[in-house]
Amino acid sequence: MRIAVCGGPYGNPYALAAFVDDARTRGCERLFCLGDLGGFGAEVDALWPILTEAGIECVAGNYDVAVARGDTDCGCGYRDPKDNEYAQLIYDHTLATTGRDFAAWMGTLPTERRETINGTDVHMVHGSTLALNDFWWESLPEEQHRLRVGASGADVVLCTHSGLPWQRHVGDTLVVNVGVLGKPANDGRREVWYAVLDLDGGRVSAELIPLAYDWRAQARSMRAAGLPEVFAETIETGWWTTCLEILPPRERSRGRYHLYRSTLPTAFAPAKDGWGPSAGPDAHGDRPVVPLFGTVYFPSRLWLYTNFHCNLACDYCAVASSPRAAPRTLPARTVRALVDEAVEAGFTELYLTGGEPFLHPDIVGLLDHASTRLPTVVMTNAMLLRGSRADGLAGLAGRKLTVQTSLDGAHAHAHDAHRGPGSWQRTLDGIRHLIDLGLPPRVALTETPDNTREIPAVAELLASLGLPEGHFAVRPLLRRGFSETGLEVGEDSSAPELTVTADGLHWHPAGADLATSPDLHLAPAGTPLETGKQRVTERFFTARLTDGSLPRPVHCAV
């Protein structure tokens, strides 16, 4: 026997009618609905004749139970105040516009259904086998899946409520979250989802079906009813703009929007210390939700490690670069492809670093290409800027190109103690040379116990060379790579800045050495930047949800 199972029509008669037609076309002999007849759209009463005329067999969802009883809220199971604010708004509309005969009919529905269909024990629930409003997410740990399956013991368990379709075997049981008809699955598609199951003498297979319907009519009806624009926007775009906080990290990372603008913690803000700009939430208009990417929580700057070998062996290098380090050089064609990919992925700044990038044989050509596509910063110790390198750099003056170097003291002692004898003078000479080339550099000082008192004098020294005040900033010593002391940098304590090396993608440029910072490695070489953004987002919310706080930015560039 072939059956069709849907979840959550959510006041969307256009999708429900399309479900009936599509399921019959596919040869489905019985049609089921797993509840939540209201909950997002405007036309709940229009569902009743479709349900009865098509003979759709229903179980009640939390919405149906609440509407039938006239409860004060939907009992959806949300925990976040903003999620509940949107849920309350649509529940009030549903309760006010649902006819009492239809509401009474909802009250007659069972909250679960279990029967043997052609030799297969099928258990239909709304949320899960544990609770009517339990969110059975695909990303739940295996033991949580087993707990819910163990509470049933059926061959097949069918559920909905979360709004996101999936299927998997848990032991010998097939679990299918059939999705919902009332709104898209936060996947950028306007189609909604349901499931078709073939049950044949104890054998069972399931297919999740994307369903096209008249989404334009649904959006019009929602606007005509005066529902908030963000509800209609979800129908029209396929991306959720409400009820985000209930989503676990993995499911949330797959959507376009990740945070409510109004719930961004005020205690976490961009540093006002001369560091480079990052797009904030206001870059996304007046929509109440924003992506994580492009905010101060996940700046839209991309770091590329052109190589890891260096002419210096600084004893506090966070990525363990030195003359003896394995070069791990990114080929020129790879860098160019990454720059182009970065533009397509929405990055607005590019940082080339190392090692010493001017040891890369094609560095000038790479800077030429990069600075035509994005504002570009190259990090260097400024000691190798002679000959063809200097000539090539001079030709890039006036481009969207910034050179950044490091000066760790107003005198040689503090700087050379960590970077090697003679390095202070050679760096100072390099700064002067860059000024002469028409590329006045930005300068960062890594603060240590040796140079804290020299910071004002360094600022005065740089000013005397003609560098603007905004071209100097102080950054903390980090406990990574060669450094055994300093600020701890981890995915639970630092805002991410996606970084690419020959070893793949990393959480932050200060943790880009795979050998000394394996915990900050995100993905192997060749992983697309869009995938990297998704993995950063997932890991960000995993860290955030551990204690509810958000990490802070740790700056590696001015």
Side-chain angles (χ1 to χ4, degrees):
M1 174 176 284
R2 172 168 281 196
I3 66 173
V5 188
C6 73
Y10 292 169
N12 187 338
Y14 310 98
L16 184 62
F19 162 71
V20 174
D21 292 342
D22 194 70
R24 294 301 189 204
T25 299
R26 293 175 185 273
C28 296
E29 302 170 60
R30 295 175 69 182
L31 277 59
F32 297 90
C33 175
L34 302 185
D36 274 5
L37 303 177
F40 197 79
E43 300 181 65
V44 182
D45 271 357
L47 301 177
W48 199 12
I50 301 173
L51 293 168
T52 55
E53 290 171 14
I56 299 175
E57 303 171 69
C58 296
V59 301
N62 54 278
Y63 232 88
D64 314 313
V65 170
V67 168
R69 295 190 307 214
D71 291 350
T72 57
D73 63 67
C74 64
C76 294
Y78 298 129
R79 300 182 298 272
D80 177 77
K82 196 66 177 179
D83 282 356
N84 278 315
E85 179 184 328
Y86 283 117
Q88 190 65 50
L89 187 153
I90 196 66
Y91 177 73
D92 290 344
H93 170 84
T94 301
L95 188 62
T97 58
T98 301
R100 295 321 299 168
D101 288 345
F102 189 22
W105 181 83
M106 293 179 193
T108 67
L109 298 176
T111 56
E112 61 181 322
R113 184 185 190 100
R114 187 163 186 171
E115 64 175 285
T116 299
I117 303 176
N118 204 11
T120 301
D121 182 6
V122 180
H123 192 179
M124 302 182 194
V125 296
H126 177 70
S128 83
T129 56
L130 301 182
L132 187 64
N133 64 356
D134 181 37
F135 291 91
W136 198 339
W137 304 108
E138 184 180 12
S139 67
L140 286 177
E142 184 65 23
E143 62 269 20
Q144 290 296 318
H145 285 292
R146 292 188 176 278
L147 176 66
R148 287 159 176 78
V149 165
S152 169
D155 299 320
V156 177
V157 179
L158 305 174
C159 64
T160 180
H161 188 56
S162 74
L164 302 179
W166 53 270
Q167 64 169 307
R168 61 176 290 177
H169 279 90
V170 180
D172 294 329
T173 298
L174 175 64
V175 180
V176 184
N177 190 313
V178 302
V180 296
L181 297 180
K183 65 177 181 178
N186 200 23
D187 55 6
R189 300 178 59 164
R190 297 184 182 100
E191 294 91 347
V192 293
W193 294 83
Y194 76 97
V196 169
L197 283 86
D198 287 299
L199 309 164
D200 182 13
R203 294 188 299 272
V204 59
S205 63
E207 181 182 3
L208 293 167
I209 307 294
L211 177 68
Y213 74 101
D214 191 350
W215 54 269
R216 293 180 180 86
Q218 174 67 355
R220 283 195 301 269
S221 75
M222 294 166 73
R223 289 192 174 98
L227 297 180
E229 182 63 23
V230 290
F231 284 76
E233 182 179 350
T234 291
I235 296 296
E236 292 175 334
T237 67
W239 298 112
W240 288 10
T241 51
T242 59
C243 302
L244 295 178
E245 287 289 347
I246 196 63
L247 289 169
R250 186 179 306 168
E251 283 79 1
R252 195 183 310 202
S253 71
R254 296 170 182 164
R256 172 176 289 177
Y257 305 111
H258 309 116
L259 289 165
Y260 288 122
R261 181 192 306 276
S262 61
T263 56
L264 296 176
T266 56
F268 185 86
K272 297 179 180 179
D273 56 3
W275 296 108
S278 293
D282 288 340
H284 304 287
D286 58 0
R287 187 178 289 107
V289 290
V290 296
L292 180 67
F293 180 71
T295 71
V296 295
Y297 304 94
F298 184 7
S300 56
R301 67 171 64 100
L302 179 69
W303 291 79
L304 301 182
Y305 271 77
T306 59
N307 58 288
F308 277 87
H309 58 310
C310 186
N311 55 312
L312 296 180
C314 305
D315 63 9
Y316 49 45
C317 180
V319 293
S321 290
S322 75
R324 295 185 178 183
R328 287 162 285 167
T329 301
L330 284 175
R333 64 180 181 279
T334 300
V335 175
R336 290 189 177 92
L338 283 166
V339 170
D340 296 341
E341 186 183 354
V343 173
E344 294 299 318
F347 288 89
T348 59
E349 298 176 88
L350 183 68
Y351 284 73
L352 271 60
T353 188
E356 171 49 58
F358 282 88
L359 289 176
H360 194 292
D362 300 302
I363 187 60
V364 174
L366 296 179
L367 293 175
D368 183 12
H369 177 73
S371 61
T372 63
R373 306 298 317 270
L374 287 171
T376 300
V377 178
V378 60
M379 318 282 279
T380 175
N381 55 42
M383 296 182 185
L384 303 179
L385 308 181
R386 292 291 184 270
S388 61
R389 297 188 187 96
D391 293 340
L393 270 182
L396 301 180
R399 293 281 195 88
K400 296 181 291 185
L401 175 66
T402 301
V403 181
Q404 178 171 321
T405 190
S406 299
L407 191 69
D408 288 346
H411 306 90
H413 174 73
H415 182 101
D416 291 359
H418 297 283
R419 296 182 178 268
S423 58
W424 181 85
Q425 186 60 58
R426 293 173 65 193
T427 297
L428 201 61
D429 292 342
I431 292 172
R432 292 191 177 100
H433 191 48
L434 285 165
I435 294 172
D436 292 341
L437 292 175
L439 289 164
R442 301 193 312 201
V443 179
L445 177 147
T446 301
E447 186 175 5
T448 70
D450 303 324
N451 65 7
T452 297
R453 294 181 181 178
E454 294 195 26
I455 291 174
V458 173
E460 292 178 9
L461 172 61
L462 296 174
S464 72
L465 297 177
L467 292 183
E469 180 181 355
H471 278 227
F472 173 59
V474 177
R475 61 189 178 193
L477 179 67
L478 305 178
R479 188 173 179 270
R480 286 274 167 178
F482 289 149
S483 178
E484 297 180 355
T485 61
L487 183 68
E488 295 286 349
V489 180
E491 64 183 50
D492 59 348
S493 62
S494 64
E497 297 192 28
L498 191 61
T499 301
V500 184
T501 74
D503 295 315
L505 305 183
H506 308 257
W507 175 266
H508 194 277
D513 177 49
L514 182 59
T516 58
S517 296
D519 56 313
L520 297 186
H521 187 245
L522 293 171
T527 301
L529 296 180
E530 284 291 353
T531 301
K533 289 164 58 178
Q534 182 174 316
R535 294 196 182 180
V536 164
T537 300
E538 179 179 347
R539 288 174 71 160
F540 178 95
F541 283 106
T542 299
R544 173 195 172 186
L545 295 176
T546 299
D547 63 3
S549 64
L550 285 168
R552 62 183 179 275
V554 176
H555 300 288
C556 291
V558 177

